[in-house]
Amino acid sequence: MAFGDNQIDGYAEGEEPMVFYHKKGNFRQYEDEKLSDLATGKGLPKRGFFRVLVGTKGNRFMLTAMLLAFVVVFFVSVFGGAPSDGTIGGLYCELSAFSFQESVYAKLKVHPSAKGGALSEIRTEFIIVNTDGMESVTYEQMFLYDEHGKKDQFVNKIFRDYDAVKVLCTIQSGDDTKTLTATVQQK
């Protein structure tokens, strides 16, 4: 057996190696069309980011579906209501909370919505949620909203709590009930 870079392998010792002669590229005429296209690069997929995205019907469908999902998420995040805002019985309510010097200050702002609000009795329940996710303090208060008095009315509550994370406020007016959530801002 011969060894080296220029040695031909695959024949017994003492025999002449078999050599095939052909014209360059002549063998392509005997190949299957799919293999010939693959070898010459005729059937390769399109290159380029945008060409790949719209190259086939399936890719166009997926691109359209992704863009539609992006638009829906954008509109919901921009125009959707925050968990700290809500409307109940024709009244618009906003809840905010912040922490300052080992106390949590919670404020519920109530004012008429576009539909308008009338004289109504409102029951509020403030719940403080601590870092463990447990309810630590609860406070209930009733007040009478008068549309003819001040336009904006407030329900304020101060809690002594060191590890409050968020404030839940359940608002009940007649048969309607709404729960608002506000994260406690550190100041």
PDB file of all heavy atoms in Angstrom, residues 141-168:
ATOM      1  N   GLN A 141     -64.386  52.366  54.665  1.00  0.00           N
ATOM      2  CA  GLN A 141     -64.927  53.697  54.868  1.00  0.00           C
ATOM      3  C   GLN A 141     -66.099  53.902  53.921  1.00  0.00           C
ATOM      4  O   GLN A 141     -66.055  53.492  52.771  1.00  0.00           O
ATOM      5  CB  GLN A 141     -63.865  54.766  54.620  1.00  0.00           C
ATOM      6  CG  GLN A 141     -64.369  56.169  54.835  1.00  0.00           C
ATOM      7  CD  GLN A 141     -63.271  57.199  54.673  1.00  0.00           C
ATOM      8  OE1 GLN A 141     -62.100  56.870  54.641  1.00  0.00           O
ATOM      9  NE2 GLN A 141     -63.664  58.457  54.575  1.00  0.00           N
ATOM     10  N   MET A 142     -67.144  54.553  54.417  1.00  0.00           N
ATOM     11  CA  MET A 142     -68.298  54.919  53.605  1.00  0.00           C
ATOM     12  C   MET A 142     -68.258  56.431  53.412  1.00  0.00           C
ATOM     13  O   MET A 142     -67.872  57.157  54.321  1.00  0.00           O
ATOM     14  CB  MET A 142     -69.600  54.549  54.321  1.00  0.00           C
ATOM     15  CG  MET A 142     -69.758  53.084  54.632  1.00  0.00           C
ATOM     16  SD  MET A 142     -70.348  52.136  53.270  1.00  0.00           S
ATOM     17  CE  MET A 142     -72.000  52.698  53.098  1.00  0.00           C
ATOM     18  N   PHE A 143     -68.620  56.902  52.209  1.00  0.00           N
ATOM     19  CA  PHE A 143     -68.765  58.342  52.012  1.00  0.00           C
ATOM     20  C   PHE A 143     -69.850  58.595  50.983  1.00  0.00           C
ATOM     21  O   PHE A 143     -70.215  57.720  50.208  1.00  0.00           O
ATOM     22  CB  PHE A 143     -67.431  59.004  51.656  1.00  0.00           C
ATOM     23  CG  PHE A 143     -67.003  58.832  50.234  1.00  0.00           C
ATOM     24  CD1 PHE A 143     -67.248  59.815  49.297  1.00  0.00           C
ATOM     25  CD2 PHE A 143     -66.332  57.692  49.824  1.00  0.00           C
ATOM     26  CE1 PHE A 143     -66.837  59.662  47.983  1.00  0.00           C
ATOM     27  CE2 PHE A 143     -65.924  57.538  48.517  1.00  0.00           C
ATOM     28  CZ  PHE A 143     -66.186  58.531  47.595  1.00  0.00           C
ATOM     29  N   LEU A 144     -70.356  59.794  51.000  1.00  0.00           N
ATOM     30  CA  LEU A 144     -71.438  60.195  50.117  1.00  0.00           C
ATOM     31  C   LEU A 144     -70.870  61.116  49.054  1.00  0.00           C
ATOM     32  O   LEU A 144     -70.321  62.176  49.375  1.00  0.00           O
ATOM     33  CB  LEU A 144     -72.524  60.914  50.925  1.00  0.00           C
ATOM     34  CG  LEU A 144     -73.832  61.192  50.201  1.00  0.00           C
ATOM     35  CD1 LEU A 144     -74.508  59.890  49.804  1.00  0.00           C
ATOM     36  CD2 LEU A 144     -74.761  62.000  51.077  1.00  0.00           C
ATOM     37  N   TYR A 145     -70.957  60.696  47.788  1.00  0.00           N
ATOM     38  CA  TYR A 145     -70.473  61.530  46.693  1.00  0.00           C
ATOM     39  C   TYR A 145     -71.597  62.456  46.264  1.00  0.00           C
ATOM     40  O   TYR A 145     -72.696  62.014  45.942  1.00  0.00           O
ATOM     41  CB  TYR A 145     -70.004  60.678  45.510  1.00  0.00           C
ATOM     42  CG  TYR A 145     -69.526  61.529  44.367  1.00  0.00           C
ATOM     43  CD1 TYR A 145     -68.260  62.075  44.392  1.00  0.00           C
ATOM     44  CD2 TYR A 145     -70.352  61.826  43.289  1.00  0.00           C
ATOM     45  CE1 TYR A 145     -67.818  62.891  43.368  1.00  0.00           C
ATOM     46  CE2 TYR A 145     -69.925  62.640  42.267  1.00  0.00           C
ATOM     47  CZ  TYR A 145     -68.653  63.166  42.306  1.00  0.00           C
ATOM     48  OH  TYR A 145     -68.216  63.977  41.295  1.00  0.00           O
ATOM     49  N   ASP A 146     -71.333  63.752  46.273  1.00  0.00           N
ATOM     50  CA  ASP A 146     -72.312  64.756  45.877  1.00  0.00           C
ATOM     51  C   ASP A 146     -71.800  65.452  44.619  1.00  0.00           C
ATOM     52  O   ASP A 146     -70.793  66.151  44.661  1.00  0.00           O
ATOM     53  CB  ASP A 146     -72.511  65.767  47.011  1.00  0.00           C
ATOM     54  CG  ASP A 146     -73.592  66.775  46.686  1.00  0.00           C
ATOM     55  OD1 ASP A 146     -74.311  66.583  45.680  1.00  0.00           O
ATOM     56  OD2 ASP A 146     -73.725  67.741  47.446  1.00  0.00           O
ATOM     57  N   GLU A 147     -72.498  65.260  43.519  1.00  0.00           N
ATOM     58  CA  GLU A 147     -72.088  65.857  42.250  1.00  0.00           C
ATOM     59  C   GLU A 147     -72.157  67.379  42.286  1.00  0.00           C
ATOM     60  O   GLU A 147     -71.381  68.072  41.634  1.00  0.00           O
ATOM     61  CB  GLU A 147     -72.972  65.331  41.128  1.00  0.00           C
ATOM     62  CG  GLU A 147     -72.617  65.894  39.763  1.00  0.00           C
ATOM     63  CD  GLU A 147     -73.556  65.409  38.698  1.00  0.00           C
ATOM     64  OE1 GLU A 147     -73.560  64.210  38.401  1.00  0.00           O
ATOM     65  OE2 GLU A 147     -74.302  66.244  38.167  1.00  0.00           O
ATOM     66  N   HIS A 148     -73.066  67.931  43.062  1.00  0.00           N
ATOM     67  CA  HIS A 148     -73.257  69.376  43.086  1.00  0.00           C
ATOM     68  C   HIS A 148     -72.260  70.073  43.989  1.00  0.00           C
ATOM     69  O   HIS A 148     -72.116  71.284  43.923  1.00  0.00           O
ATOM     70  CB  HIS A 148     -74.689  69.712  43.514  1.00  0.00           C
ATOM     71  CG  HIS A 148     -75.707  69.100  42.608  1.00  0.00           C
ATOM     72  ND1 HIS A 148     -75.838  69.471  41.289  1.00  0.00           N
ATOM     73  CD2 HIS A 148     -76.602  68.109  42.811  1.00  0.00           C
ATOM     74  CE1 HIS A 148     -76.794  68.752  40.721  1.00  0.00           C
ATOM     75  NE2 HIS A 148     -77.273  67.917  41.622  1.00  0.00           N
ATOM     76  N   GLY A 149     -71.569  69.327  44.814  1.00  0.00           N
ATOM     77  CA  GLY A 149     -70.547  69.918  45.668  1.00  0.00           C
ATOM     78  C   GLY A 149     -69.267  70.069  44.874  1.00  0.00           C
ATOM     79  O   GLY A 149     -69.241  70.590  43.769  1.00  0.00           O
ATOM     80  N   LYS A 150     -68.189  69.610  45.432  1.00  0.00           N
ATOM     81  CA  LYS A 150     -66.912  69.657  44.716  1.00  0.00           C
ATOM     82  C   LYS A 150     -66.940  68.654  43.570  1.00  0.00           C
ATOM     83  O   LYS A 150     -67.554  67.604  43.663  1.00  0.00           O
ATOM     84  CB  LYS A 150     -65.771  69.302  45.667  1.00  0.00           C
ATOM     85  CG  LYS A 150     -65.539  70.324  46.761  1.00  0.00           C
ATOM     86  CD  LYS A 150     -64.275  70.005  47.502  1.00  0.00           C
ATOM     87  CE  LYS A 150     -64.580  69.093  48.656  1.00  0.00           C
ATOM     88  NZ  LYS A 150     -63.452  68.758  49.475  1.00  0.00           N
ATOM     89  N   LYS A 151     -66.263  68.986  42.496  1.00  0.00           N
ATOM     90  CA  LYS A 151     -66.199  68.060  41.363  1.00  0.00           C
ATOM     91  C   LYS A 151     -65.349  66.842  41.713  1.00  0.00           C
ATOM     92  O   LYS A 151     -65.717  65.717  41.426  1.00  0.00           O
ATOM     93  CB  LYS A 151     -65.636  68.756  40.126  1.00  0.00           C
ATOM     94  CG  LYS A 151     -66.579  69.741  39.520  1.00  0.00           C
ATOM     95  CD  LYS A 151     -67.730  69.010  38.886  1.00  0.00           C
ATOM     96  CE  LYS A 151     -68.665  69.989  38.213  1.00  0.00           C
ATOM     97  NZ  LYS A 151     -69.822  69.370  37.671  1.00  0.00           N
ATOM     98  N   ASP A 152     -64.188  67.090  42.300  1.00  0.00           N
ATOM     99  CA  ASP A 152     -63.321  65.975  42.717  1.00  0.00           C
ATOM    100  C   ASP A 152     -63.439  65.778  44.213  1.00  0.00           C
ATOM    101  O   ASP A 152     -63.349  66.738  44.983  1.00  0.00           O
ATOM    102  CB  ASP A 152     -61.854  66.274  42.373  1.00  0.00           C
ATOM    103  CG  ASP A 152     -61.609  66.347  40.884  1.00  0.00           C
ATOM    104  OD1 ASP A 152     -62.436  65.809  40.132  1.00  0.00           O
ATOM    105  OD2 ASP A 152     -60.600  66.943  40.486  1.00  0.00           O
ATOM    106  N   GLN A 153     -63.656  64.542  44.609  1.00  0.00           N
ATOM    107  CA  GLN A 153     -63.679  64.211  46.030  1.00  0.00           C
ATOM    108  C   GLN A 153     -62.650  63.130  46.277  1.00  0.00           C
ATOM    109  O   GLN A 153     -62.381  62.302  45.409  1.00  0.00           O
ATOM    110  CB  GLN A 153     -65.073  63.767  46.452  1.00  0.00           C
ATOM    111  CG  GLN A 153     -66.082  64.900  46.401  1.00  0.00           C
ATOM    112  CD  GLN A 153     -67.444  64.489  46.909  1.00  0.00           C
ATOM    113  OE1 GLN A 153     -67.654  63.372  47.357  1.00  0.00           O
ATOM    114  NE2 GLN A 153     -68.396  65.413  46.847  1.00  0.00           N
ATOM    115  N   PHE A 154     -62.089  63.134  47.477  1.00  0.00           N
ATOM    116  CA  PHE A 154     -60.987  62.234  47.795  1.00  0.00           C
ATOM    117  C   PHE A 154     -61.304  61.419  49.041  1.00  0.00           C
ATOM    118  O   PHE A 154     -61.964  61.890  49.960  1.00  0.00           O
ATOM    119  CB  PHE A 154     -59.702  63.037  48.054  1.00  0.00           C
ATOM    120  CG  PHE A 154     -59.257  63.842  46.873  1.00  0.00           C
ATOM    121  CD1 PHE A 154     -59.637  65.168  46.735  1.00  0.00           C
ATOM    122  CD2 PHE A 154     -58.480  63.268  45.895  1.00  0.00           C
ATOM    123  CE1 PHE A 154     -59.233  65.913  45.656  1.00  0.00           C
ATOM    124  CE2 PHE A 154     -58.064  64.009  44.796  1.00  0.00           C
ATOM    125  CZ  PHE A 154     -58.445  65.336  44.679  1.00  0.00           C
ATOM    126  N   VAL A 155     -60.774  60.197  49.036  1.00  0.00           N
ATOM    127  CA  VAL A 155     -60.760  59.362  50.226  1.00  0.00           C
ATOM    128  C   VAL A 155     -59.290  59.088  50.498  1.00  0.00           C
ATOM    129  O   VAL A 155     -58.607  58.460  49.688  1.00  0.00           O
ATOM    130  CB  VAL A 155     -61.524  58.031  50.018  1.00  0.00           C
ATOM    131  CG1 VAL A 155     -61.444  57.178  51.255  1.00  0.00           C
ATOM    132  CG2 VAL A 155     -62.956  58.305  49.623  1.00  0.00           C
ATOM    133  N   ASN A 156     -58.785  59.590  51.605  1.00  0.00           N
ATOM    134  CA  ASN A 156     -57.374  59.435  51.964  1.00  0.00           C
ATOM    135  C   ASN A 156     -57.245  58.518  53.172  1.00  0.00           C
ATOM    136  O   ASN A 156     -58.048  58.596  54.101  1.00  0.00           O
ATOM    137  CB  ASN A 156     -56.746  60.794  52.299  1.00  0.00           C
ATOM    138  CG  ASN A 156     -56.747  61.722  51.119  1.00  0.00           C
ATOM    139  OD1 ASN A 156     -56.438  61.307  50.012  1.00  0.00           O
ATOM    140  ND2 ASN A 156     -57.119  62.967  51.324  1.00  0.00           N
ATOM    141  N   LYS A 157     -56.213  57.718  53.176  1.00  0.00           N
ATOM    142  CA  LYS A 157     -55.955  56.834  54.310  1.00  0.00           C
ATOM    143  C   LYS A 157     -54.453  56.691  54.475  1.00  0.00           C
ATOM    144  O   LYS A 157     -53.717  56.546  53.504  1.00  0.00           O
ATOM    145  CB  LYS A 157     -56.601  55.453  54.074  1.00  0.00           C
ATOM    146  CG  LYS A 157     -56.433  54.501  55.206  1.00  0.00           C
ATOM    147  CD  LYS A 157     -57.086  55.028  56.454  1.00  0.00           C
ATOM    148  CE  LYS A 157     -56.789  54.084  57.615  1.00  0.00           C
ATOM    149  NZ  LYS A 157     -56.881  54.718  58.892  1.00  0.00           N
ATOM    150  N   ILE A 158     -53.998  56.732  55.731  1.00  0.00           N
ATOM    151  CA  ILE A 158     -52.580  56.555  56.060  1.00  0.00           C
ATOM    152  C   ILE A 158     -52.448  55.262  56.855  1.00  0.00           C
ATOM    153  O   ILE A 158     -53.167  55.045  57.834  1.00  0.00           O
ATOM    154  CB  ILE A 158     -52.055  57.744  56.886  1.00  0.00           C
ATOM    155  CG1 ILE A 158     -52.219  59.040  56.101  1.00  0.00           C
ATOM    156  CG2 ILE A 158     -50.595  57.518  57.255  1.00  0.00           C
ATOM    157  CD1 ILE A 158     -51.904  60.281  56.909  1.00  0.00           C
ATOM    158  N   PHE A 159     -51.530  54.415  56.415  1.00  0.00           N
ATOM    159  CA  PHE A 159     -51.276  53.135  57.086  1.00  0.00           C
ATOM    160  C   PHE A 159     -49.852  53.131  57.617  1.00  0.00           C
ATOM    161  O   PHE A 159     -48.933  53.621  56.972  1.00  0.00           O
ATOM    162  CB  PHE A 159     -51.424  51.964  56.098  1.00  0.00           C
ATOM    163  CG  PHE A 159     -52.791  51.832  55.512  1.00  0.00           C
ATOM    164  CD1 PHE A 159     -53.086  52.387  54.281  1.00  0.00           C
ATOM    165  CD2 PHE A 159     -53.778  51.162  56.192  1.00  0.00           C
ATOM    166  CE1 PHE A 159     -54.339  52.266  53.730  1.00  0.00           C
ATOM    167  CE2 PHE A 159     -55.041  51.030  55.644  1.00  0.00           C
ATOM    168  CZ  PHE A 159     -55.323  51.588  54.414  1.00  0.00           C
ATOM    169  N   ARG A 160     -49.659  52.556  58.767  1.00  0.00           N
ATOM    170  CA  ARG A 160     -48.312  52.326  59.299  1.00  0.00           C
ATOM    171  C   ARG A 160     -47.912  50.917  58.891  1.00  0.00           C
ATOM    172  O   ARG A 160     -48.409  49.941  59.416  1.00  0.00           O
ATOM    173  CB  ARG A 160     -48.296  52.433  60.823  1.00  0.00           C
ATOM    174  CG  ARG A 160     -48.676  53.774  61.319  1.00  0.00           C
ATOM    175  CD  ARG A 160     -47.430  54.530  61.671  1.00  0.00           C
ATOM    176  NE  ARG A 160     -47.777  55.848  62.159  1.00  0.00           N
ATOM    177  CZ  ARG A 160     -47.234  56.944  61.711  1.00  0.00           C
ATOM    178  NH1 ARG A 160     -46.318  56.888  60.804  1.00  0.00           N
ATOM    179  NH2 ARG A 160     -47.605  58.109  62.182  1.00  0.00           N
ATOM    180  N   ASP A 161     -47.048  50.849  57.895  1.00  0.00           N
ATOM    181  CA  ASP A 161     -46.600  49.534  57.409  1.00  0.00           C
ATOM    182  C   ASP A 161     -45.227  49.699  56.767  1.00  0.00           C
ATOM    183  O   ASP A 161     -44.996  50.614  55.995  1.00  0.00           O
ATOM    184  CB  ASP A 161     -47.598  48.974  56.394  1.00  0.00           C
ATOM    185  CG  ASP A 161     -47.438  47.480  56.229  1.00  0.00           C
ATOM    186  OD1 ASP A 161     -46.446  46.917  56.725  1.00  0.00           O
ATOM    187  OD2 ASP A 161     -48.311  46.876  55.593  1.00  0.00           O
ATOM    188  N   TYR A 162     -44.327  48.793  57.073  1.00  0.00           N
ATOM    189  CA  TYR A 162     -42.951  48.913  56.621  1.00  0.00           C
ATOM    190  C   TYR A 162     -42.700  48.197  55.295  1.00  0.00           C
ATOM    191  O   TYR A 162     -41.836  48.585  54.548  1.00  0.00           O
ATOM    192  CB  TYR A 162     -41.988  48.341  57.667  1.00  0.00           C
ATOM    193  CG  TYR A 162     -42.141  49.019  58.997  1.00  0.00           C
ATOM    194  CD1 TYR A 162     -42.783  48.394  60.048  1.00  0.00           C
ATOM    195  CD2 TYR A 162     -41.633  50.291  59.197  1.00  0.00           C
ATOM    196  CE1 TYR A 162     -42.909  49.018  61.267  1.00  0.00           C
ATOM    197  CE2 TYR A 162     -41.762  50.932  60.417  1.00  0.00           C
ATOM    198  CZ  TYR A 162     -42.407  50.286  61.459  1.00  0.00           C
ATOM    199  OH  TYR A 162     -42.539  50.912  62.654  1.00  0.00           O
ATOM    200  N   ASP A 163     -43.426  47.149  55.029  1.00  0.00           N
ATOM    201  CA  ASP A 163     -43.134  46.343  53.837  1.00  0.00           C
ATOM    202  C   ASP A 163     -44.327  46.237  52.886  1.00  0.00           C
ATOM    203  O   ASP A 163     -44.578  45.203  52.302  1.00  0.00           O
ATOM    204  CB  ASP A 163     -42.642  44.961  54.250  1.00  0.00           C
ATOM    205  CG  ASP A 163     -43.642  44.215  55.124  1.00  0.00           C
ATOM    206  OD1 ASP A 163     -44.631  44.818  55.547  1.00  0.00           O
ATOM    207  OD2 ASP A 163     -43.420  43.013  55.379  1.00  0.00           O
ATOM    208  N   ALA A 164     -45.059  47.321  52.705  1.00  0.00           N
ATOM    209  CA  ALA A 164     -46.200  47.327  51.790  1.00  0.00           C
ATOM    210  C   ALA A 164     -45.708  47.409  50.350  1.00  0.00           C
ATOM    211  O   ALA A 164     -44.791  48.154  50.030  1.00  0.00           O
ATOM    212  CB  ALA A 164     -47.124  48.494  52.092  1.00  0.00           C
ATOM    213  N   VAL A 165     -46.309  46.602  49.487  1.00  0.00           N
ATOM    214  CA  VAL A 165     -45.944  46.578  48.073  1.00  0.00           C
ATOM    215  C   VAL A 165     -47.040  47.197  47.212  1.00  0.00           C
ATOM    216  O   VAL A 165     -46.754  47.943  46.289  1.00  0.00           O
ATOM    217  CB  VAL A 165     -45.665  45.126  47.620  1.00  0.00           C
ATOM    218  CG1 VAL A 165     -45.384  45.073  46.144  1.00  0.00           C
ATOM    219  CG2 VAL A 165     -44.533  44.538  48.405  1.00  0.00           C
ATOM    220  N   LYS A 166     -48.287  46.874  47.531  1.00  0.00           N
ATOM    221  CA  LYS A 166     -49.384  47.439  46.753  1.00  0.00           C
ATOM    222  C   LYS A 166     -50.614  47.624  47.630  1.00  0.00           C
ATOM    223  O   LYS A 166     -50.720  47.041  48.707  1.00  0.00           O
ATOM    224  CB  LYS A 166     -49.705  46.586  45.541  1.00  0.00           C
ATOM    225  CG  LYS A 166     -50.198  45.204  45.818  1.00  0.00           C
ATOM    226  CD  LYS A 166     -50.432  44.462  44.508  1.00  0.00           C
ATOM    227  CE  LYS A 166     -50.727  42.999  44.774  1.00  0.00           C
ATOM    228  NZ  LYS A 166     -50.950  42.279  43.522  1.00  0.00           N
ATOM    229  N   VAL A 167     -51.514  48.459  47.112  1.00  0.00           N
ATOM    230  CA  VAL A 167     -52.762  48.762  47.803  1.00  0.00           C
ATOM    231  C   VAL A 167     -53.908  48.333  46.898  1.00  0.00           C
ATOM    232  O   VAL A 167     -53.934  48.674  45.719  1.00  0.00           O
ATOM    233  CB  VAL A 167     -52.874  50.268  48.121  1.00  0.00           C
ATOM    234  CG1 VAL A 167     -54.214  50.591  48.738  1.00  0.00           C
ATOM    235  CG2 VAL A 167     -51.751  50.719  49.020  1.00  0.00           C
ATOM    236  N   LEU A 168     -54.833  47.568  47.452  1.00  0.00           N
ATOM    237  CA  LEU A 168     -56.052  47.184  46.744  1.00  0.00           C
ATOM    238  C   LEU A 168     -57.192  48.009  47.312  1.00  0.00           C
ATOM    239  O   LEU A 168     -57.279  48.197  48.527  1.00  0.00           O
ATOM    240  CB  LEU A 168     -56.357  45.701  46.942  1.00  0.00           C
ATOM    241  CG  LEU A 168     -55.300  44.689  46.528  1.00  0.00           C
ATOM    242  CD1 LEU A 168     -55.728  43.290  46.921  1.00  0.00           C
ATOM    243  CD2 LEU A 168     -55.056  44.757  45.048  1.00  0.00           C
TER     244      LEU A 168
END
